[in-house]
Structures are given as structure tokens and as C-alpha cells.
Amino acid sequence: MKFFVDTAEVDDIRELQETGLLDGVTTNPSLIAKSGRDFKQVIAEICEIVDGPVSAEVAATDVDGMIAEGEHLAKIATNVVIKIPLTPAGLKACKHFTNKGIKTNVTLCFSANQALLAAKVGATYISPFVGRLDDINLNGMDLIADIRAIYDNYDFDTQILVASIRSINQVTESALIGADVATIPPAIIHKMYNHPLTAKGLEAFVKDWASTGQTIL
Ligand code: E4P
């Protein structure tokens, strides 16, 4: 499973890039607003740090506007992926980008039927939002399993990009289901390293090694 980071904070992306774990980045208008920075400048900076796909979301909600903005954003760097909302207009714009060979990430997916529509217009990625479904007492991970089954039934190439991740367990479940990508907030990625037995075990090894008085080099 590929790991994308879900943030518009360039410093966090640079730090994660150095871990060798990062396969791509997703942003959205709320994350850009939170950064307080110029959208296109941020996308250009991220694309210089990361070789993998970097999702940049259109702001327009009409087909022509989404196409114009998406084509503009796609010129920033070759690894820009155009993020489009899952609406009738968004899917028309997606089909346009598919035909032009421009990669797309169809976002704000909350149902299996929506994911089916996105695959039929050739979306590169579908972004089901698991955390926001859990927020309204539905089961986000059930949706991921349903989309996996549907895409496998028909050999759709669209990659399942699990979004709105709020816990490390959702990352595990995504991998168990066979999602293609998880886009994860930086704080959750950092939590994935942790286990109390790792910390406790290392503390004991360091202490016991010191007691031997040996050095390796
Ligand atoms: C994904 O592409 C979205 O930007 C993001 O995962 C949404 O997460 P949220 O529901 O925590 O805002």
C-alpha cells in the first residue's frame, strides 16, 4: 500500500520525504486555507520535494471552470494530479482529463455507487472519506471493502485512496482490505512507529549492551 501524506505544510512534507516512506501528497482547499499560503506556490514547492503524485484540487464547481483550472494546475509540474469533487460536473471534467492523459483524484466519495461512477470515467484515484463517515455513525471501512470488491469484479484500474483517516487502526484496516493508497495526516504517520514494547525492549537492550563494556566500531 502506498503512503501519501494529507497536508499542505511543506516543512512536514520535507521531513517525511526524508524517511523514505512517502509515495505522494494530497491537499485540499481547507488544508491550503489552514496553511495561510499561496496555493500554486505551495503545490510547486511540494512537487519539488516529492517525485510521486501531488493532488491539487480545483475550486470551480462547473465543468468549464474545473477544466480550465485543472489544465492550469497540471502545468505546475508533471506529478500534479487534478483533484475533482464527485459531482456530475466533476465527473464530466474527470472524463475530459482522462481523455487527455491527465491524472485525476475524484474526491468527496461517500458511497460505493459514487466510486463506481468515478471508475467508469477513468479516474486515476477515488478518495472515499472514512473518518467523515464514522463521524455520522456509519462505517467508513465497510465502504473501502465494498469499493475493493466492485473494482476487483470488473478489473477497474482506478486506485482506492483511503482519505479522511483519523487513526492508525484505519491504516491497518486499509492495508488488510487491499486499498491501493492511504493518505494520512502527519501526526498519524508518526504514531505508526510507536509500540510500548518496542520502547521498553530498546531501553533494556541499550542498558544491557552498556553493561558489556563492548563497542562495535
Ligand atoms: C483527502 O484527500 C482529504 O483531503 C482529507 O483526507 C480529508 O480529511 P478530513 O475529513 O480529516 O478533513
Side-chain angles (χ1 to χ4, degrees), residues 1 144 148 152 160 162 172-181:
M1 186 171 71
I144 303 306
R148 181 73 284 158
D152 288 350
I160 303 171
V162 183
T172 312
E173 287 178 57
S174 299
L176 285 169
I177 291 167
D180 302 283
V181 188

Side-chain angles (χ1 to χ4, degrees), residues 6 26-28 30-31 55 57 83 105 107 127 129 131-132 135 161-166 183 185:
D6 194 33
T26 54
T27 64
N28 66 37
S30 304
L31 293 169
S55 288
E57 189 158 342
K83 203 168 173 188
N105 174 358
T107 189
S127 285
F129 278 34
R132 293 193 196 185
D135 288 346
L161 192 169
V162 183
S164 186
I165 285 180
R166 308 268 167 80
T183 189

Side-chain angles (χ1 to χ4, degrees), residues 198-214:
T198 304
K200 192 176 166 196
L202 182 61
E203 194 184 332
F205 286 158
V206 167
K207 191 171 160 223
D208 291 343
W209 177 249
S211 76
T212 70
Q214 299 179 48

Side-chain angles (χ1 to χ4, degrees), residues 8-25:
E9 299 301 326
V10 173
D11 288 344
D12 287 344
I13 293 167
R14 195 171 285 114
E15 187 190 331
L16 283 163
Q17 174 64 16
E18 285 167 10
T19 66
L21 292 167
L22 198 59
D23 298 301
V25 178

Side-chain angles (χ1 to χ4, degrees), residues 53-66:
V54 175
S55 288
E57 189 158 342
V58 295
T61 54
D62 63 299
V63 184
D64 290 345
M66 285 191 247

Side-chain angles (χ1 to χ4, degrees), residues 86-101:
L86 207 156
T87 60
L91 294 187
K92 276 188 195 164
C94 181
K95 183 72 185 170
H96 166 89
F97 291 124
T98 302
N99 291 342
K100 288 193 79 174

